Amino acid sequence: MNVLLIGSGGREHALAWALSKSSLLKKLWAAPGNAGVAAIAECVPLDVTDHAAVIAFCKANDIGLVVVGPEAPLVAGMVDDLDKAGIRAFGPTAAAAQLEGSKAFMKDLCSRYGIATAAYGVFTDAEAAKSFVRTEGAPIVVKADGLAAGKGVIIAQTVAEAEAAIDDMLAGAFGEAGARVVIEEFMEGEEASFFAICDGRTALPLATAQDHKRAHDGDTGPNTGGMGAYSPAPVMTEDLCRRAMDEIVTPTMTAMRTEGMPFSGILYAGLMITGKGLRLLEYNVRFGDPEAQVLMMRLQDDLLLLILGALDQSLDSRSIHWRSEPALTVVMASRGYPGAYEKGTVIGNIEEAAAMDSVEVFHAGTARDGDVLTATGGRVLNVTALGRDIREAQMRAYAAVDLIDWPDGFCRRDIGWRAVERETPVT
């Protein structure tokens, strides 16, 4: 089978790496891909916002399956258009992708179907939003309703900070994504990422993971798209995983079918484990980034077969197998991220890091100019390692990080700290 993978980040490199191992794969293309993906797939400079061009490419190259990595093409209806053209595609329809594309849609669905989440209000008027904030008090969370590349969430510590965030969003700081704001109660607890592969009727849980959103050590600094992750997440006990399915994922699948928009693809629940129980923070409708990197390192099954099982609605007869070893990934980012940063800086010694035992270096924002590797984005590399325990995976990942010669990059040095504190070292 010829497969086209849509996307250009670290998530897509990890997915390409997993897909490339499938016995069913004939040829893998990526649009647009990156310098790392180019080592295992043929990268093509398609404009993925031009669905007609994507369809024409698929027909010209006998593409049997399109795997859509990022959220924006899903929300924009790429799967719908491919389906209409008779091309199989993995991911939700535009209607189902509203679970990520509109936080107001997700919150209203949860409210209608009794799925536990934070108390909230949805506003297009700044004064009404500010009045809500003054009533609720701080800390409080202000979110842009639409897609904002992981940056449209402000955890306001004061009422004044929340009011400023409301003004910024409604004034266009996040473009159309901020035309509506969702204001939520602040929930105390520990976050975890919970994933399921879905076929519209059945949801199969995947391995758990935990992300690190803040830019700097000690969970300080601004929110980012993610500075590292590990899997499994010890906070997600067997009981909590069962409850996540019973209380959140399965009721959501039922709700989406009832609403006439069955969900097929990857459902990613951002969870908060609070003193009041398990709460849903948000939904994403694709693999997380950088969670996909650690999940793909641990996945034992053929990813392409799993995807085809979802498309054939046969997940109810399948199970998924994972490596027992934990995985941990460290994101190396351009200095200045998530703010302004310089592009085109030179990265060296990647090959030495990637040659380490049980280590993969997934590219997120890279390009090659001849033999020279350069950084083209904010998050640039995902240095990922397996270990007998989280502590060993952490040590391997940072040993590989330290081999990479990139003076213009930075990373957190404490990825996995919660899990390391919890675990008894393997002897």
Side-chain angles (χ1 to χ4, degrees), residues 397-409:
Y398 280 113
V401 164
D402 291 338
L403 288 175
I404 294 170
D405 180 16
W406 186 27
D408 297 289

Side-chain angles (χ1 to χ4, degrees), residues 297 326-329 357-360 383-387 392-394 396-397:
M297 284 287 277
L328 181 142
T329 189
D357 183 43
S358 300
V359 169
E360 295 289 337
V383 183
T384 312
L386 291 165
E392 184 173 78
Q394 183 191 58
R396 277 190 180 143

Side-chain angles (χ1 to χ4, degrees), residues 127-396:
E127 283 311 310
K130 290 175 184 178
S131 176
F132 182 85
V133 166
R134 293 181 200 116
T135 301
E136 295 297 318
I140 198 163
V141 183
V142 183
K143 297 181 176 181
D145 176 53
L147 298 180
K151 299 180 182 70
V153 177
I154 305 296
I155 301 171
Q157 298 301 321
T158 65
V159 168
E161 190 180 343
E163 290 180 340
I166 290 164
D167 285 336
D168 286 347
M169 288 183 189
L170 291 177
F174 297 102
E176 289 184 14
R180 284 195 297 183
V181 296
V182 177
I183 302 176
E184 295 181 350
E185 69 168 311
F186 175 76
M187 294 189 291
E188 290 274 7
E190 187 169 345
E191 290 186 46
S193 303
F194 191 84
F195 297 87
I197 185 169
C198 309
D199 66 10
R201 298 181 305 189
T202 300
L204 271 186
L206 303 180
T208 60
Q210 195 158 38
D211 189 10
H212 299 63
K213 286 293 186 192
R214 298 285 188 157
H216 305 304
D217 288 11
D219 290 328
T220 60
N223 266 341
T224 71
M227 294 301 293
Y230 55 89
S231 172
V235 68
M236 289 301 294
T237 62
E238 270 189 45
D239 178 60
L240 280 176
C241 288
R242 178 188 55 75
R243 288 179 54 199
M245 288 299 294
D246 292 348
E247 298 173 17
I248 293 173
V249 173
T250 300
T252 300
M253 292 286 289
T254 301
M256 294 298 282
R257 281 199 312 275
T258 303
E259 297 282 330
M261 47 188 84
F263 189 92
S264 178
I266 298 295
L267 188 59
Y268 162 11
L271 302 178
M272 183 68 82
I273 299 104
T274 76
K276 299 177 182 176
L278 203 58
R279 299 284 188 90
L280 177 66
L281 274 174
E282 64 180 7
Y283 269 130
N284 296 312
V285 297
R286 34 69 189 180
F287 279 109
D289 188 347
E291 293 98 333
Q293 290 81 316
V294 289
L295 293 181
M296 293 305 102
M297 284 287 277
R298 296 189 60 224
L299 180 66
Q300 286 186 315
D301 291 316
D302 185 320
L303 177 62
L304 187 48
L305 269 175
L306 281 175
I307 288 172
L308 293 174
L311 293 175
D312 293 336
Q313 290 197 320
S314 62
L315 291 181
D316 58 352
S317 63
R318 292 179 181 268
S319 57
I320 305 177
H321 304 91
W322 302 92
R323 296 181 67 143
S324 59
E325 302 100 315
L328 181 142
T329 189
V330 177
V331 171
M332 297 188 72
S334 295
R335 205 169 290 282
Y337 173 82
Y341 55 85
E342 185 181 352
K343 292 186 179 181
T345 58
V346 176
I347 305 167
N349 288 353
I350 286 282
E351 293 76 12
E352 289 84 344
M356 284 184 61
D357 183 43
S358 300
V359 169
E360 295 289 337
V361 179
F362 297 117
H363 294 227
T366 61
R368 281 201 184 275
D369 183 4
D371 292 333
V372 178
L373 184 71
T374 60
T376 61
R379 293 187 297 166
V380 176
L381 299 171
N382 310 133
V383 183
T384 312
L386 291 165
R388 292 176 301 167
D389 54 19
I390 292 287
R391 189 183 306 268
E392 184 173 78
Q394 183 191 58
M395 288 173 61
R396 277 190 180 143

Side-chain angles (χ1 to χ4, degrees), residues 36-82:
V37 174
I40 49 178
E42 182 174 334
C43 293
V44 290
L46 278 175
D47 176 1
V48 299
T49 66
D50 184 347
H51 296 182
V54 174
I55 290 165
F57 177 86
C58 291
K59 290 184 173 178
N61 292 279
D62 191 28
I63 299 295
L65 173 69
V66 178
V67 178
V68 185
E71 62 274 18
L74 295 168
V75 172
M78 178 175 278
V79 168
D80 306 68
D81 290 341
L82 288 165

